[in-house]
Amino acid sequence: MSPTAEPRRNASGLARDIELLELLGGSEAMQNNGLGVLRIAQLSGRDKAVVSRTLATLADAGLLERDDATLSYRLGPRLFALAARTTESRLVAEARSYLRRIAQSTRETTHLCVLRGGNVLTILSELSPHEFRTTGWEGVTTAAWRTPSGRVLLSDWDTASLERWYAEHGTDLPIVGPADPIMAASGFSVLSAPPEDKAVVTDFESLVAELARIRARGYALLDEELEHGVVGASAPVRDLTGRIIAAVNVSAPKGRIGDRLEALGRYVAAAAAELSGRLGAP
C-alpha cells in the first residue's frame, strides 16, 4: 500500500453490526424484550460464535445490554441517548419554520417547550408582530403544573411516574429558572398563585383529571392562570415512537383572543400534529 493511500474502511463489518442492531430494534425483539444469541444467528444467517462475540462487543460499548436472567440482548442506553440527542436537534431545526408560521397565522407569540428537571423550559420563541404582545420565554423555566405546556408534556405519563413527579414538583414556584428583565416590563405580571376561580390544578386528583381532558381533546388551555390578562393554548409534539417530546404553545392578551380560545387550541393541535409528522410520528 502506498504511504499516502487512505486506510481501508471495514464497511462490511460495520454493515453486519448494523444488521444486528436492526434485528434487535425489530418487532420480534420488541415483543419479547430482546433476542438470544441463537435466535439472532438464525435471523441473520451468521455463525453463532461470531454473533456472540459481536453482541458482546456492542454491549461493552453500551449500544446493547444483556439480561442476566434470560441472556437475551436488547438495545442499550447509549444508543437511546444518541437517538434522543439526534431527535432534539432535529426537533429544533424543524420547529423554527413551524413556529414562525404559527406566529404569522395567529399573530400571537409562539413557543416550543420541553421538560427539563421536572419543569418546562422554553427553547424557542417567535414573537407576535403586535406592539402589545406577550413576551418570549426563551431560556426560562416554569413550573409544569402551572402551565398548559407542562400539562401537555406530562399527559402521556403513567400514574406511578406522575405521583413521584408531583411529590417533588407539585408546589414549585411559577418561575423556576432565570427570567429576562424585559418580561417584567411587558405589562403582564406573573402570579405567585393561580386565582381561585382560574385554578385548574389544585391537587394531584385535579392534575390527573386535567391530563385526561388534554388526552381527550388534544390540547391544553390557559386562562389568566399564570399571568394577569394572558391566555394560551398548547399541544403535544411527538416523535417516531408516539412519545410526547415537546409542546407548541401560543400565548396572547385575553382581550385580543376573546371567545376564540377553544378555536386557538384546535389550531395549535393541528400545527403540532403536522410538526410531529415531520418528525416521523405515527
Side-chain angles (χ1 to χ4, degrees):
M1 179 184 292
S2 166
T4 59
E6 291 186 6
R8 186 174 180 180
R9 296 177 181 176
N10 186 17
S12 59
L14 177 60
R16 289 195 295 267
D17 293 349
I18 292 173
E19 180 189 13
L20 300 188
L21 293 174
E22 288 178 336
L23 286 173
L24 288 167
S27 58
E28 183 178 339
M30 294 295 104
Q31 291 168 4
N32 296 292
N33 197 27
L35 296 172
V37 173
L38 179 58
R39 181 56 178 156
I40 295 172
Q42 291 172 342
L43 291 170
S44 63
R46 293 166 58 185
D47 179 75
K48 178 183 173 183
V50 174
V51 167
S52 179
R53 289 195 296 270
T54 302
L55 293 173
T57 300
L58 292 171
D60 288 342
L63 299 176
L64 298 179
E65 60 182 7
R66 192 185 192 198
D67 189 303
D68 292 333
T70 66
L71 304 184
S72 294
Y73 284 91
R74 53 180 174 257
L75 298 180
R78 187 177 181 189
L79 194 62
F80 287 113
L82 291 169
R85 287 200 290 271
T86 301
T87 298
E88 186 153 306
S89 297
R90 189 178 174 204
L91 166 67
V92 172
E94 294 283 359
R96 288 187 186 277
S97 61
Y98 279 87
L99 260 61
R100 189 173 301 116
R101 193 172 72 192
I102 295 167
Q104 289 171 345
S105 178
T106 63
R107 299 187 63 77
E108 302 298 350
T109 300
T110 307
H111 316 277
L112 183 72
C113 306
V114 297
L115 274 181
R116 284 287 186 278
N119 282 302
V120 179
L121 172 66
T122 301
I123 58 176
L124 285 175
S125 289
E126 190 73 28
L127 294 180
S128 162
H130 291 291
E131 185 175 348
F132 181 60
R133 63 194 179 196
T134 58
T135 57
W137 289 69
E138 199 165 324
V140 179
T141 302
T142 53
W145 70 277
R146 287 286 302 275
T147 65
S149 295
R151 295 165 197 160
V152 160
L153 290 164
L154 295 170
S155 63
D156 65 347
W157 286 28
D158 61 81
T159 303
S161 298
L162 280 173
E163 286 175 341
R164 289 191 293 270
W165 173 87
Y166 190 81
E168 184 176 357
H169 297 290
T171 57
D172 283 351
L173 295 174
I175 304 296
V176 181
D180 191 324
I182 295 175
M183 293 171 60
S186 66
F188 301 105
S189 57
V190 175
L191 303 170
S192 59
E196 288 186 13
D197 62 331
K198 302 290 186 181
V200 173
V201 174
T202 56
D203 53 24
F204 182 73
E205 288 70 26
S206 60
L207 172 66
V208 171
E210 173 62 7
L211 299 187
R213 283 190 290 270
I214 293 169
R215 288 192 294 272
R217 66 187 178 187
Y219 56 88
L221 300 177
L222 177 84
D223 186 0
E224 295 188 287
E225 191 179 353
L226 183 65
E227 300 172 89
H228 278 304
V230 175
V231 297
S234 297
V237 177
R238 299 177 184 272
D239 66 8
L240 74 170
T241 69
R243 183 176 61 94
I244 296 173
I245 57 170
V248 172
N249 174 264
V250 174
S251 61
K254 184 170 184 176
R256 224 165 30 226
I257 294 297
D259 60 358
R260 295 180 291 113
L261 188 55
E262 289 282 354
L264 179 64
R266 292 190 293 271
Y267 174 80
V268 174
E274 188 177 346
L275 173 56
S276 300
R278 287 285 298 172
L279 298 172

